[in-house]
Amino acid sequence: IIGSATSRILILISMILVARVLGQTSFGEFGLIQSTLGVAGLMAGMGLGGTATRFVAQYTVSEPVRAGKVIALVTSTSMATIALVSLILISFSSAIASKFLNAPHLWDSLIWGTCLMAATALRGLQNGVFAGFEKFDLLAKLNVVEGLVALLTMVILARFYGVNGTILGLSLGALTALLLGHFLLSKELSYRGIKIKLAGCWEDRQILTQFSLPSFLANLVATPVLWYAMTLVAKLDHGYEELGLYNAAYQWHGPMVFIPMILMSVSIPILVQEWEAKRTKQVRKIMLLLCSVTFGVSLPFVITISFSSHFIMDLYGPTFTDGWLILVLLIITAPIHALAKLGQAALLGMNQAWRVLGLNVIWAIILLAFTIYLVPSIGALGLATAFLSAYCALSLLSLSLVFFST
């Protein structure tokens, strides 16, 4: 947990420094580019990282040969989808920048971002395998390496190349961690006697339709909807200035969700094993413990950051201070978001991926309804309000389904 927290702190420091270099408008452009690449990365990754965690955890001890086949299956599928999405993103970068981002000059940022998208998608798959092996110490170390490289490169490159330089710095961090992770994963596979062979891996292709597909569709509902909501802000007068405020505030939401997610990633493989053994009472105990820890860990930070919101936003530059209320709303949302993620991860571990898809549809409807109603009048503050409202509903529904199932 300490290693993972360190990596998030490094990224947070990097973003503060980058915001001061780029300024409010360009930092807003960078935020929307990141969100766009996130949608592309979702298409490329297809939720295969979660698939790797779920089935590597299930087979690594009992059926190591099958675990190797699962890794081969998700890796080969991911490589193909990443190549396809990269080609599409490069080919349509100009159209995306003009029609959706309302910023034609950002087309080259999307092309540079293709490298970041591909590296991040592969990192997600790699992390999924490590999580399935319960090698969380290696995950933390890789995250620290990525954060350090990003910190050292982003600020310098942003000063010389603006938004493109920032994206390149993030790419270098992700690529460094990816290459080091490949080396460490090879050692881990050798230690466990697991061999990755393409021959016969398609015998388990039902995993893709029964688990990966609904998980992918669930994320396909959520990520593009949030991206679309951000494009609505971008189309306002001074829209990218508003997005600059939102992007700065959101940098604090991520770490607040990240710590509970680390606890979740450690616990989900155990939860899967208990569920497969039909020990539902133990599953319920794990979930109650995770919910309690999530609130216990988050609450002091929520209070502290909320009361320090003016000071924190001023760190990004004097023009960012007006976004203090956006920060407060996003920080309040963080533990609620974490609980929703926790509930959905549990449902996926219980093979209820289609229910997760339905929950995300409800989340998307609420988010869009509030965004369309509030953004034209109060800008990014309306998006933050929509974000909070949607996650309140998602958290309540997700956890209710988990506890009713156990």
Side-chain angles (χ1 to χ4, degrees):
I1 294 175
I2 294 174
S4 299
T6 300
S7 70
R8 301 302 298 187
I9 292 171
L10 290 171
I11 292 293
L12 190 60
I13 294 171
S14 301
M15 290 299 176
I16 292 173
L17 296 175
V18 165
R20 297 188 73 89
V21 171
L22 293 180
Q24 186 175 335
T25 300
S26 292
F27 194 62
E29 293 175 345
F30 167 63
L32 190 51
I33 288 291
Q34 269 193 305
S35 182
T36 305
L37 295 174
V39 174
L42 169 65
M43 305 290 186
M46 290 189 64
L48 293 172
T51 302
T53 300
R54 172 64 174 81
F55 291 97
V56 168
Q58 181 175 341
Y59 298 134
T60 186
V61 175
S62 60
E63 300 179 70
V65 173
R66 194 173 183 185
K69 289 182 178 180
V70 168
I71 296 172
L73 174 65
V74 296
T75 301
S76 58
T77 303
S78 185
M79 293 294 288
T81 54
I82 288 172
L84 177 61
V85 172
S86 296
L87 179 62
I88 293 172
L89 185 59
I90 292 172
S91 300
F92 293 95
S93 58
S94 181
I96 293 171
S98 299
K99 296 182 179 180
F100 293 100
L101 307 188
N102 197 35
H105 62 283
L106 293 179
W107 67 273
D108 57 340
S109 298
L110 291 173
I111 293 178
W112 280 104
T114 302
C115 178
L116 175 60
M117 180 275 297
T120 302
L122 289 172
R123 281 270 287 135
L125 177 61
Q126 191 180 81
N127 287 349
V129 177
F130 276 126
F133 287 145
E134 300 184 26
K135 300 300 293 184
F136 304 107
D137 57 333
L138 293 182
L139 279 176
K141 291 173 183 177
L142 289 172
N143 288 332
V144 170
V145 169
E146 182 176 4
L148 278 172
V149 174
L151 176 61
L152 294 173
T153 57
M154 282 175 59
V155 180
I156 296 173
L157 292 172
R159 183 171 295 279
F160 288 101
Y161 303 106
V163 173
N164 290 345
T166 307
I167 293 169
L168 181 57
L170 281 177
S171 301
L172 290 173
L175 285 170
T176 302
L178 178 65
L179 293 174
L180 179 58
H182 178 73
F183 171 74
L184 294 174
L185 183 57
S186 297
K187 289 182 64 177
E188 185 66 24
L189 290 169
S190 177
Y191 172 76
R192 293 174 180 266
I194 296 176
K195 296 182 179 179
I196 301 176
K197 292 184 177 180
L198 289 174
C201 72
W202 281 95
E203 294 173 1
D204 281 314
R205 60 185 177 277
Q206 74 278 1
I207 289 174
L208 299 178
T209 55
Q210 295 176 6
F211 189 88
S212 299
L213 179 60
S215 300
F216 167 67
L217 292 176
N219 287 323
L220 188 61
V221 171
T223 305
V225 165
L226 182 56
W227 169 79
Y228 176 71
M230 291 179 69
T231 66
L232 294 180
V233 178
K235 292 176 181 178
L236 299 173
D237 292 336
H238 308 293
Y240 276 102
E241 293 180 13
E242 289 286 314
L243 281 179
L245 298 177
Y246 183 86
N247 192 29
Y250 192 79
Q251 304 304 319
W252 294 81
H253 175 92
M256 285 289 296
V257 175
F258 188 75
I259 299 301
M261 290 303 97
I262 292 297
L263 297 173
M264 182 190 76
S265 66
V266 173
S267 304
I268 289 302
I270 300 172
L271 187 146
V272 168
Q273 293 168 9
E274 296 295 334
W275 176 258
E276 292 293 331
K278 302 188 184 304
R279 292 191 285 264
T280 55
K281 289 185 178 179
Q282 193 64 21
V283 172
R284 180 184 285 265
K285 286 182 180 179
I286 293 172
M287 286 298 298
L288 286 172
L289 176 62
L290 287 174
C291 290
S292 301
V293 171
T294 296
F295 260 113
V297 170
S298 301
L299 190 59
F301 290 100
V302 170
I303 294 172
T304 302
I305 294 173
S306 295
F307 278 104
S308 307
S309 56
H310 283 87
F311 170 76
I312 290 172
M313 292 300 287
D314 192 55
L315 293 174
Y316 292 85
T319 61
F320 286 83
T321 309
D322 290 342
W324 68 271
L325 186 54
I326 297 173
L327 174 58
V328 171
L329 290 177
L330 290 180
I331 286 299
I332 292 173
T333 306
I336 301 170
H337 184 175
L339 289 175
K341 287 288 188 183
L342 174 61
Q344 290 189 311
L347 289 171
L348 289 173
M350 295 156 64
N351 290 323
Q352 298 185 31
W354 289 106
R355 285 189 173 183
V356 174
L357 172 59
L359 291 171
N360 277 1
V361 170
I362 295 172
W363 174 89
I365 291 171
I366 295 172
L367 180 73
L368 280 178
F370 275 83
T371 298
I372 292 171
Y373 179 72
L374 294 174
V375 162
S377 57
I378 56 176
L381 184 59
L383 179 57
T385 304
F387 200 67
L388 172 60
S389 303
Y391 271 111
C392 283
L394 183 61
S395 177
L396 177 63
L397 292 172
S398 299
L399 292 175
S400 296
L401 281 176
V402 170
F403 287 109
F404 283 138
S405 298
T406 57

